[in-house]
Amino acid sequence: MNKPLIFGIGEIVWDCLPAGKKLGGAPVNFSYYAGRLGADSYAVSAVGKDSLGEETLESCRSFGLDTRFIEQNELPTSRVLVKLDSSGVPQYEILEGVAWDALDASEEVLAAVSRADAICWGSLAGRTDRSFKAISSMIVTAPEGCMKVFDINLRQHYYSREKIESSLGAASALKLNEDELPVLSGLFNLPTDAADALCGIAQRWSLDYVIYTCGAAFSEIHGTNGLISHINTPKVDVADTVGAGDSFTAAFITSILLGKTTREAHEMAVSLAAKVCSSSGAIVEI
């Protein structure tokens, strides 16, 4: 079997944690783990023409990531100030006016995405109209049959009903957590019961998978006919949960593309996310 071709599209950041700064951002995290699990994976993003941008590219390469689709522009490389609560759950302060706010869809990127088996994007990277337009161009370019994964990743005030609905309309899978579901339910007048809301989301936007994570309690996979898989979250000593959701999504999508059943893919996702939670930072050697 050929390696599935997977792209993580969006923000690259330096997470400034209490223990120091670590490379992160959904496309890097997602692409890193997809690559470790057997995919041919790439991050599509932008960094500045500054020392931190060069450090970003060097760090990506040190993790084995191909950086050909990470462009450089005149805006500064992104930093995120991260505070952890007593359970290791992060709170983010995301600085504005950074390189990925001016993301472009180059001909090279579009040509590559036109062959993709899966692409994954979130709401944060589309906070500016310029980047949202670029991401939308990539989504439209992806071939029929490509898994289009919207990992919603709501952060601060950087989302809108219109852009979320646009992404849901283009997606074949949605990933969200227990904090994001009530927001989505409020925006789209969904049922108050979580199971009914998740099934309603799958039906309303014809999604193959709705991937729902509920922190230390459980995670579930839903489809248009309801619940497909439920797994309780394993108990681990949590260092922090940064990057856990990205690793979960990468493991599930890569496993599905490699021919695993939904249950097997879910089990792989739970196992990897638990490992990420037990280490500091988003990128953990596996």
Side-chain angles (χ1 to χ4, degrees):
M1 178 183 291
N2 293 331
K3 287 185 175 184
L5 179 60
I6 296 179
F7 295 87
I9 304 167
E11 69 276 9
I12 286 182
V13 308
W14 283 92
D15 291 319
C16 299
L17 296 145
K21 78 178 194 302
K22 289 183 177 288
L23 184 64
V28 167
N29 303 337
F30 174 84
S31 301
Y32 168 77
Y33 289 113
R36 284 292 185 270
L37 294 171
D40 187 9
S41 59
Y42 300 88
V44 181
S45 189
V47 297
K49 295 179 180 178
D50 50 23
S51 59
L52 195 57
E54 293 299 331
E55 186 178 353
T56 304
L57 297 175
E58 291 174 7
S59 294
C60 285
R61 294 177 189 126
S62 74
F63 290 123
L65 283 171
D66 190 311
T67 60
R68 73 181 73 180
F69 302 122
I70 301 175
E71 63 187 44
Q72 289 183 279
N73 60 40
E74 300 301 327
L75 292 173
T77 301
S78 180
R79 293 184 299 120
V80 174
L81 309 182
V82 184
K83 294 182 179 179
L84 305 176
D85 67 15
S86 59
S87 299
V89 176
Q91 297 293 320
Y92 302 96
E93 180 184 348
I94 305 165
L95 304 184
E96 298 185 11
V98 295
W100 50 263
D101 282 324
L103 186 64
D104 287 321
S106 68
E107 290 185 6
E108 183 184 15
V109 166
L110 293 177
V113 171
S114 71
R115 301 180 288 105
D117 294 298
I119 60 173
C120 182
W121 74 97
S123 61
L124 176 59
R127 65 182 179 180
T128 65
D129 290 342
R130 176 172 176 173
S131 290
F132 184 76
K133 181 179 179 181
I135 294 168
S136 297
S137 296
M138 296 178 217
I139 295 168
V140 170
T141 301
E144 185 177 354
C146 173
M147 288 188 70
K148 298 178 180 179
V149 186
F150 182 37
D151 188 349
I152 195 166
N153 271 337
L154 299 180
R155 296 286 184 264
Q156 297 173 212
H157 59 283
Y158 298 122
Y159 60 89
S160 70
R161 185 186 190 279
E162 292 73 22
K163 288 181 177 180
I164 288 174
E165 186 160 32
S166 175
S167 287
L168 286 169
S172 56
L174 168 69
K175 157 70 170 57
L176 77 169
N177 63 31
E178 76 276 19
D179 296 321
E180 293 160 342
L181 179 58
V183 177
L184 205 60
S185 295
L187 289 173
F188 296 102
N189 195 29
L190 299 169
T192 55
D193 177 77
D196 289 342
L198 293 164
C199 183
I201 290 168
Q203 291 175 345
R204 181 167 176 173
W205 285 285
S206 301
L207 300 172
D208 296 327
Y209 304 103
V210 177
I211 305 162
Y212 180 56
T213 58
C214 220
F218 64 87
S219 58
E220 294 178 339
I221 312 298
H222 290 254
T224 55
N225 293 321
L227 180 66
I228 301 172
S229 179
H230 172 106
I231 298 178
N232 291 330
T233 302
K235 304 304 179 186
V236 298
D237 292 328
V238 176
D240 63 59
T241 63
V242 179
D246 300 325
S247 70
F248 192 108
T249 309
F252 182 81
I253 298 305
T254 305
S255 296
I256 290 291
L257 290 175
L258 290 173
K260 303 298 184 183
T261 66
T262 302
R263 181 68 180 189
E264 290 169 336
H266 189 187
E267 289 171 349
M268 175 63 77
V270 169
S271 176
L272 179 56
K275 181 176 178 61
V276 172
C277 286
S278 66
S279 301
S280 178
I283 295 178
V284 177
E285 182 62 42
I286 61 170

